């Protein structure tokens, strides 16, 4: 996807959520930086401060942490039409505890945290948009925590397929197992039973 198309893709995404004039988007677009990641390249490494929000216009990223034994825990997949970031690090400017890497070649539009207050002041529609985005992310997080505590492996996988349509064909099964908090062997059993 060419970056001009990427801007149109973001604009279409935004307009389904908030009203947006041509002039407002043209001004907002000046704050966005096109960025390309190759497969397996990192957008963010644990220990670095997170300085940007990234909107995915092509490809798929994942956000994950590593425990003391080096085991990966996938927290989020970010396919096209998703924002990805370490929000704790972004908002506090503390070093990130998360890694974000590309599972496929990816094109992104980066929005610097340093510009956010300026954007909110100049374009109140974006303050509304990002508030709505954070609200929906908080609800999704609460649902995910509740599901991890109460659902069976089969229920978790079926819920994953509903929330991330098409991702199961794009990412390795061991990463889906990591996201679900189950072993790859358990995921294989669940998939055979469906």
């Amino acid at each position: 996807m060419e970056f001009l198309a990427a801007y149109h893709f973001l604009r279409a995404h935004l307009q389904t959520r908030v009203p947006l004039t041509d002039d407002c988007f043209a001004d907002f677009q000046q704050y966005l930086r096109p960025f390309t990641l190759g497969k397996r390249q990192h957008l963010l490494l644990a220990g670095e401060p997170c300085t940007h929000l990234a909107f995915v216009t092509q490809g798929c990223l994942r956000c994950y942490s590593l425990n003391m034994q080096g085991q990966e825990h996938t927290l989020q997949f970010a396919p096209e039409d998703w924002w990805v970031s370490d929000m704790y690090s972004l908002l506090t400017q503390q070093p990130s505890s998360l890694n974000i890497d590309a599972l496929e070649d990816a094109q992104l539009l980066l929005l610097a945290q340093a510009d956010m207050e300026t954007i909110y002041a100049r374009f109140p529609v974006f303050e509304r948009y990002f508030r709505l985005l954070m609200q929906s992310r908080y609800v999704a997080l609460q649902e995910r925590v509740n599901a991890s505590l109460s659902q069976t492996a089969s229920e978790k996988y079926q819920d994953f397929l509903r929330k991330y349509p098409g991702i199961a064909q794009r990412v390795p099964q061991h990463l889906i197992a990591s996201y679900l908090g189950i072993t790859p062997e358990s995921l294989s059993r669940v998939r055979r039973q469906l």
Side-chain angles (χ1 to χ4, degrees), residues 43-74:
L43 177 65
L44 178 68
L45 290 169
E48 299 174 348
C50 183
T51 58
H52 291 82
L53 286 166
F55 182 76
V56 182
T57 61
Q58 183 176 330
C60 184
L61 280 67
R62 73 171 173 140
C63 182
Y64 67 98
S65 65
L66 292 170
N67 67 15
M68 298 298 274
Q69 294 75 36
Q71 183 181 16
E72 294 180 0
H73 298 282
T74 301

Side-chain angles (χ1 to χ4, degrees), residues 4 29 31 45-47 54 67-68 78 98 101 114 116 128 133 164 167 184-185 191:
L4 182 58
Q29 185 176 320
Y31 291 94
L45 290 169
N67 67 15
M68 298 298 274
L98 303 177
D101 70 356
M116 294 302 291
R128 174 174 167 70
L133 181 68
Y164 286 103
I167 292 295
E185 296 78 19
R191 293 181 70 211

